């Protein structure tokens, strides 16, 4: 089944796996079309080796559908990078990656998750709010290339967990 043929929820056809250097061609293709100032291949290679970094891909077969990079520095998790292939957006792949990370955080005893998101990235903000993240601050001119502010969003891992369909558990 091709995920582009039907709007199936990501859990029906995608798996979450550790990112490897072999994934970087596909990851870089997604990165290049997703961000105004994309990471470099070298940046991903550094994160793959960095001790606190966790790098994940959502995959269907051999195809990378999206990825997530975060740091686990107990008692916190800091989300660094999340992107989904443009033709597969709005299929809950980003949600699947984030839910996996939140579950991982709970399992490892982390207490809070933090991230920065562009003030103009309303789709990402919507995703994070739907997962239970709340606004905790603003970083002025965080994105130096265009002087855009970043919103700081936080999530308490002690809060009730929202399930894949949005219900509290």
């Amino acid at each position: 089944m091709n995920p582009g043929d039907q709007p199936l929820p990501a859990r029906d056809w995608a798996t979450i796996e550790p990112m490897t250097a072999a994934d970087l061609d596909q990851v870089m293709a997604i990165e290049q079309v997703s961000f105004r100032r994309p990471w470099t291949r070298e940046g991903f290679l550094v994160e793959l080796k960095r001790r606190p970094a966790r790098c994940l891909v959502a995959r269907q077969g051999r195809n990378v559908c999206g990825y997530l990079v975060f740091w686990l520095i107990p008692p916190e998790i800091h989300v660094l990078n999340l992107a989904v292939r443009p033709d597969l957006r709005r299929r809950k792949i980003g949600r699947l990656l984030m839910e996996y990370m939140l579950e991982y955080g709970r399992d490892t005893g982390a207490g809070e998750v933090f991230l920065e998101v562009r003030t103009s990235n309303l789709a990402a903000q919507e995703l994070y709010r739907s997962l239970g993240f709340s606004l905790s601050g603003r970083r002025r001119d965080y994105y130096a290339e265009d002087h855009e502010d970043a919103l700081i969003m936080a999530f308490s891992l002690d809060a009730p967990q929202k399930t894949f369909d949005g219900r509290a558990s």
Side-chain angles (χ1 to χ4, degrees), residues 29-122:
I30 297 168
E31 180 76 8
Q32 292 294 320
V33 298
S34 297
F35 297 105
R36 295 178 206 167
R37 191 172 181 193
W39 284 17
T40 63
R41 177 179 294 272
E42 292 74 26
F44 280 101
L45 287 169
V46 166
E47 293 306 323
L48 285 170
K49 295 175 187 172
R50 192 183 303 257
R51 182 174 212 162
R54 305 296 185 269
C55 305
L56 304 172
V57 293
R59 180 188 315 280
Q60 187 217 18
R62 294 182 181 177
N63 297 318
V64 173
C65 305
Y67 56 88
L68 172 65
V69 179
F70 63 95
W71 287 351
L72 172 64
I73 306 173
E76 297 176 1
I77 288 176
H78 188 95
V79 176
L80 302 175
N81 197 339
L82 171 67
V84 173
R85 238 174 57 194
D87 61 319
L88 297 175
R89 291 181 183 155
R90 297 275 187 201
R91 304 246 178 126
K92 300 190 177 181
I93 295 166
R95 172 177 288 279
L96 180 64
L97 285 158
M98 290 294 290
E99 286 180 343
Y100 184 95
M101 184 244 347
L102 294 174
E103 185 177 322
Y104 178 83
R106 283 186 186 93
D107 290 347
T108 58
E112 284 193 285
V113 180
F114 295 95
L115 58 84
E116 291 88 12
V117 59
R118 284 182 178 271
T119 55
S120 63
N121 193 342
L122 301 179

Side-chain angles (χ1 to χ4, degrees), residues 1-9 13 88 91:
M1 169 184 13
N2 179 349
D5 293 340
Q6 298 176 322
L8 294 173
W13 54 267
L88 297 175
R91 304 246 178 126

